[in-house]
Each structure stands twice: as C-alpha cells, then as structure tokens.
Amino acid sequence: MKIKTLEVAGFAPAFKGMRNALDSWHLSDSKVCKDMDCNKCPFDDEELEKNSDCRKHDFIIGVKDLNLAQRLIKGGNEHAKFMRQIQVWADMNMPRYFWSEFDTYKFNTKNSCSTMHRLLNNTKPITLDLFTYCKEDVDLMNDAINELETLRQIYKSDKTKQKDKSRLLLRAKRLLPEGFLQLRTVNTNYAELRNIYLQRHNHRLKEEWQDVFCGWVETLPYAKELIIYEG
C-alpha cells in the first residue's frame, strides 16, 4: 500500500478568494517564492520563525492570512470554502476494500487501473505482491492466487475463444480477494481531505487509514496548519 503526491496547486487563488467576502485583499501577507532561493526570502526573521515549513513550498502563507484561514476553518465547512480550491493529485495504490470505503467521500474524480488488464490480460504472472493480506492467511491467499494464475494462463492462450474469455474474466473477478491492490490517480482538495482525516485518523483499519492514508495527508504542504487544524 502506497500513496504518492503528484501535484498540489491553488494556494494563491484560494487565499485571494478567501478574502473576497470581507474586501480585505489589502491585508493579505502571503507571498509567492518565484526563485525558491531562501537568501532572497520575502519574509523577515520574525515571519520565518512563524512559518517554519515555508522552505518546503513555493507559496508562503503569511501570519495574517493564516489567522483568517484558521478562523474560517474553525467556523465550519460553509465558512472555509477556500479549502475546496486547493487541489491535490495523488497516485494511490490501495486494496479493493479500502476503495469501497473511500468512495463514500466526495472527491473530485479518479482514474483507475483496469482490473481486467492487470489481472488476466497481463503478460506477468499473478503473484502475492499484488495483494495485501494478513500473515496467518498466506496459505489461503496462495490457493486463490494459484487459481487466478491458472485462469490467466487459459485466458492468454491462443486456443481460448473470445466467448470463453468473458466467462474466465467473470470467474476471476468473483474469485478475486478484496486485498487486491488497485492503483487510482485521484484528484481531491484540502476541504475533503480534512473531512476524511478527521473521520479516519483513529479508524480501526490502522495500517490502511491511520498509517498510510492519514500519514500521507500529514506530508502535504501546510497540512498541520489547515487540514489537521483543530483550533
């Protein structure tokens, strides 16, 4: 199981729009580091001390902007609409049972790897490393994998007719353990990630939700100040 950040974008327009309701753009103190050269940092030493993570990002949230952002977050989702405009793209290689829970949330969109192409219509054999499983179930997993691999070899045979391939695919999908890892490229935003994090950071599926997903969220820019912030 693994989640990899592809891109985070939208801080500048999101924080600009955050001040629209109050017509207070002139109070904005966030800055964009075009050079990323810390010797030319637009913050003074006092500001840098309050922005200890700034060297990780090309957008530096100012003290006044962060104060307003956190007040809006504390006020609830209807006040913190700017968080919906901070976009995140990530590759998530997670088991099927994780996706059934993740799909209950309102992320923007996802592109998934095809089960058919990764399972039967594949030149590589089906092996244990394509699954997540409990150690005590390894024998059961190997039995299922051996059967799936047999189906794959029949499916790939030149002697197998197309109508028979459809039946083989159906059998494979019904036999496939829920621990099968499926890669999805997901587009979401800070508002939804905050919603998921607060609901799942103590989830009983510790490895999947706490260690992998919530652990990944904590690595995002300004996650502590925005996504995880509780006030």
Side-chain angles (χ1 to χ4, degrees), residues 133-173:
Y133 55 92
C134 297
K135 292 181 179 179
E136 57 267 35
D137 295 326
V138 65
D139 290 338
L140 291 172
M141 287 296 300
N142 280 324
D143 288 342
I145 288 169
N146 290 338
E147 184 62 29
L148 287 168
E149 174 60 14
T150 298
L151 295 178
R152 186 193 70 85
Q153 291 179 12
I154 298 172
Y155 185 95
K156 295 294 292 183
S157 172
D158 294 336
K159 298 179 181 179
T160 304
K161 298 178 180 179
Q162 189 59 44
K163 64 176 183 178
D164 295 327
K165 288 188 175 184
S166 297
R167 180 64 183 173
L168 289 166
L169 180 60
L170 179 63
R171 289 178 59 193
K173 285 191 172 184

Side-chain angles (χ1 to χ4, degrees), residues 101-123:
E101 295 188 6
F102 186 81
D103 285 345
T104 65
Y105 294 99
K106 295 180 180 179
F107 54 90
N108 295 337
T109 190
K110 65 181 183 298
N111 289 313
S112 306
C113 285
S114 168
T115 302
M116 180 183 72
H117 285 89
R118 195 175 181 207
L119 195 60
L120 295 189
N121 194 21
N122 196 333
T123 57

Side-chain angles (χ1 to χ4, degrees), residues 19-211:
R19 289 190 171 276
N20 285 357
L22 301 174
D23 294 348
S24 62
W25 310 285
H26 60 288
L27 296 178
S28 178
D29 58 348
S30 297
K31 299 177 176 68
V32 176
C33 277
K34 297 180 179 178
D35 197 311
M36 289 304 289
D37 182 350
C38 287
N39 293 324
K40 301 177 182 178
C41 184
F43 276 167
D44 58 32
D45 291 340
E46 182 179 353
E47 289 176 312
L48 279 174
E49 187 175 347
K50 296 177 181 178
N51 289 271
S52 58
D53 282 345
C54 77
R55 289 180 173 84
K56 301 177 184 177
H57 323 305
D58 58 3
F59 182 80
I60 303 174
I61 300 176
V63 175
K64 293 178 182 178
D65 279 347
L66 182 58
N67 180 268
L68 174 58
Q70 291 181 336
R71 283 191 282 122
L72 292 172
I73 291 170
K74 193 173 181 180
N77 292 336
E78 68 275 20
H79 297 287
K81 294 189 291 291
F82 76 95
M83 292 273 281
R84 304 172 195 171
Q85 295 182 325
I86 304 173
Q87 299 292 303
V88 180
W89 290 262
D91 273 347
M92 301 184 178
N93 195 29
M94 301 296 288
R96 286 158 58 92
Y97 61 84
F98 171 89
W99 289 121
S100 66
E101 295 188 6
F102 186 81
D103 285 345
T104 65
Y105 294 99
K106 295 180 180 179
F107 54 90
N108 295 337
T109 190
K110 65 181 183 298
N111 289 313
S112 306
C113 285
S114 168
T115 302
M116 180 183 72
H117 285 89
R118 195 175 181 207
L119 195 60
L120 295 189
N121 194 21
N122 196 333
T123 57
K124 297 180 180 179
I126 300 170
T127 53
L128 200 58
D129 62 311
L130 298 179
F131 301 81
T132 184
Y133 55 92
C134 297
K135 292 181 179 179
E136 57 267 35
D137 295 326
V138 65
D139 290 338
L140 291 172
M141 287 296 300
N142 280 324
D143 288 342
I145 288 169
N146 290 338
E147 184 62 29
L148 287 168
E149 174 60 14
T150 298
L151 295 178
R152 186 193 70 85
Q153 291 179 12
I154 298 172
Y155 185 95
K156 295 294 292 183
S157 172
D158 294 336
K159 298 179 181 179
T160 304
K161 298 178 180 179
Q162 189 59 44
K163 64 176 183 178
D164 295 327
K165 288 188 175 184
S166 297
R167 180 64 183 173
L168 289 166
L169 180 60
L170 179 63
R171 289 178 59 193
K173 285 191 172 184
R174 289 178 175 175
L175 182 64
L176 186 63
E178 282 291 282
F180 182 66
L181 294 168
Q182 186 177 44
L183 177 68
R184 296 185 181 185
T185 299
V186 174
N187 172 222
T188 185
N189 60 74
Y190 269 37
E192 190 56 24
L193 288 175
R194 174 176 170 81
N195 179 39
I196 300 173
Y197 185 93
L198 294 180
Q199 290 186 20
R200 298 281 174 165
H201 71 284
N202 288 321
H203 196 274
R204 60 185 176 182
L205 291 179
K206 182 179 182 299
E207 185 177 359
E208 294 81 352
W209 283 109
Q210 295 186 45
D211 298 344

